[in-house]
Amino acid sequence: MCVDTARENERVKMITETDIEEEDGVFKFIGLRYKCDRRVLLWVAIYHVLTYATWTHWYSLGWAARAGMLFACSMFSFFGATITHNAIHVPLFSTPYANSFFQIALSHTYGWPVSALVPGHNLSHHKFTNTARDAMRPDRMRYSWNFLNYLMFPVETARAIAASDKAYMMHQKEQDRPIWRQYLVEAASFYPLQAMLALYSWDRYLAIVLLPQLYAKYQIIAMNILQHDGCPAHEIDDYNHSRNFTGAAINYLTFNNGYHTIHHTNPGWHWKRLPSSHDALLKPKMHPGCDQDNILTYFFRAHIYPGKRLAYDGTPYVLPDEIPDEKWYDGTAETYSEGVADYKFKNE
């Protein structure tokens, strides 16, 4: 830790709080906390408008129009998945009822009850990054063809987190904790609507709802292997445990989900603060290879051609010995979100 902790914390506060404005307009009435999150609400609305329009006009659209609309639905469902990721760390609204309703809307945007993301992502991946307790660690993937590692990573990850996620939720139920009740509300809204749409028009449900939402879930998990493969554990290295994608387009569309190192260091910081905090606090100390300008060119280089696994510094990645999963859930009631993690580095 730094010797003058108070001075350092004050410097961090100045850096991270100067570029975010509190909501003071009409959206304050519904409890929206920050102006920049108006665009978050717009993105969610666009997904639902696109899906409704595609469903309504499906049989009158030509193949090209159908393909274009399905692409748009898939992309905005994926953007909804990145919004979901941000929302389980930092609530958008100042009231629990507004946040509860928004999580229901997000469940229908990216295709899964939002609260179910908390155990595997917040409490396993964030707390134990790239260790045996991280159910989402890329080192479990050991195919010689690196594209297959990317392709199968979401499948292997889902399998790894399923049992622990169920145990977590059952314990929340026994303790009658709020996250269990919120999960029930989300599930009671999500699953019946999915079933009704499938029964009403199975072909439209498959094409317009299920496939775009599967794409969203698949890609938000697959993004993890891009961000962490070839990086050391957080407990070993404070600065090089994550790979960042700093391109303007992806960060505009996904609300700064490309700035991953600073997000892991402070998962309770609002997405708007991440670029300036990354540049000021981490970039001078991390290896330059941890910053990639373009996620697509990195994906092509690492998984297509030449398709070799890369360490964070750009050198060929040598896999460590395979390790078995370790239990990560200890009965905690926290969600490793806003107000939990502060700026600190163990190796100072």
Side-chain angles (χ1 to χ4, degrees):
M1 290 289 290
C2 299
V3 175
D4 192 348
T5 305
R7 183 180 300 174
E8 178 67 359
N9 286 343
E10 185 62 29
R11 184 177 77 89
V12 171
K13 184 177 180 180
M14 290 177 62
I15 291 171
T16 59
E17 293 186 355
T18 54
D19 60 350
I20 184 167
E21 295 183 69
E22 292 186 1
E23 174 62 50
D24 58 3
V26 64
F27 289 97
K28 188 175 182 179
F29 176 76
I30 60 172
L32 192 69
R33 300 165 64 194
Y34 301 114
K35 282 185 178 180
C36 56
D37 284 326
R38 295 175 184 179
R39 182 158 55 88
V40 171
L41 301 182
L42 176 62
W43 257 226
V44 175
I46 288 174
Y47 165 78
H48 288 283
V49 170
L50 283 171
T51 301
Y52 176 78
T54 307
W55 181 282
T56 303
H57 300 289
W58 180 250
Y59 296 119
S60 63
L61 295 175
W63 286 106
R66 286 185 178 184
M69 293 299 284
L70 291 182
F71 175 79
C73 289
S74 298
M75 293 309 299
F76 271 90
S77 184
F78 169 66
F79 300 153
T82 65
I83 292 169
T84 298
H85 165 264
N86 290 348
I88 63 172
H89 286 291
V90 184
L92 262 72
F93 298 91
S94 58
T95 66
Y97 293 108
N99 285 312
S100 176
F101 180 82
F102 185 60
Q103 287 192 194
I104 294 171
L106 286 178
S107 299
H108 292 287
T109 303
Y110 102 109
W112 201 253
V114 168
S115 296
L117 191 60
V118 169
H121 179 79
N122 290 29
L123 298 178
S124 173
H125 174 60
H126 264 276
K127 293 185 73 172
F128 307 108
T129 308
N130 287 348
T131 69
R133 294 185 178 186
D134 180 4
M136 303 179 73
R137 67 184 186 278
D139 282 356
R140 70 169 67 251
M141 308 306 298
R142 298 192 170 243
Y143 297 104
S144 58
W145 184 21
N146 203 26
F147 179 70
L148 201 55
N149 288 318
Y150 176 86
L151 195 65
M152 295 301 296
F153 180 73
V155 178
E156 296 294 334
T157 297
R159 185 183 305 165
I161 66 176
S164 294
D165 279 10
K166 182 179 180 181
Y168 170 85
M169 279 301 178
M170 290 301 98
H171 190 251
Q172 307 313 301
K173 177 182 179 181
E174 293 171 4
Q175 301 297 315
D176 193 29
R177 288 173 176 161
I179 193 171
W180 166 250
R181 296 192 294 273
Q182 175 62 28
Y183 171 78
L184 285 181
V185 171
E186 294 162 5
S189 169
F190 176 73
Y191 292 115
L193 181 59
Q194 295 274 313
M196 285 188 292
L197 291 174
L199 290 172
Y200 182 75
S201 180
W202 70 266
D203 57 331
R204 285 187 291 179
Y205 168 74
L206 179 66
I208 303 168
V209 179
L210 182 63
L211 290 181
Q213 291 182 348
L214 280 176
Y215 172 81
K217 291 189 286 288
Y218 188 93
Q219 290 298 346
I220 196 65
I221 298 174
M223 200 170 180
N224 196 74
I225 198 171
L226 303 180
Q227 293 168 325
H228 291 289
D229 195 34
C231 297
H234 197 180
E235 62 188 24
I236 296 174
D237 192 325
D238 288 323
Y239 302 103
N240 299 310
H241 54 76
S242 304
R243 190 175 287 107
N244 305 284
F245 299 101
T246 59
I250 189 172
N251 283 296
Y252 181 81
L253 293 170
T254 67
F255 304 92
N256 293 333
N257 265 252
Y259 289 94
H260 208 59
T261 309
I262 192 67
H263 169 65
H264 265 265
T265 305
N266 294 276
W269 280 2
H270 191 275
W271 61 266
K272 186 68 165 60
R273 297 174 175 168
L274 302 185
S276 60
S277 303
H278 169 88
D279 290 344
L281 302 175
L282 297 182
K283 192 171 182 177
K285 299 179 179 181
M286 66 170 46
H287 191 281
C290 287
D291 275 2
Q292 299 289 322
D293 293 334
N294 191 299
I295 191 171
L296 295 179
T297 57
Y298 173 81
F299 168 77
F300 186 87
R301 186 170 69 253
H303 295 278
I304 305 297
Y305 183 80
K308 303 296 183 181
R309 294 185 87 156
L310 301 173
Y312 69 92
D313 59 2
T315 60
Y317 182 49
V318 179
L319 276 169
D321 293 337
E322 192 167 5
I323 55 175
D325 292 345
E326 293 182 7
K327 182 179 178 181
W328 56 263
Y329 179 54
D330 59 3
T332 182
E334 53 97 347
T335 58
Y336 211 65
S337 301
E338 188 175 48
V340 175
D342 297 319
Y343 172 82
K344 58 183 177 180
F345 296 109
K346 296 177 290 298
N347 298 331
E348 292 287 348

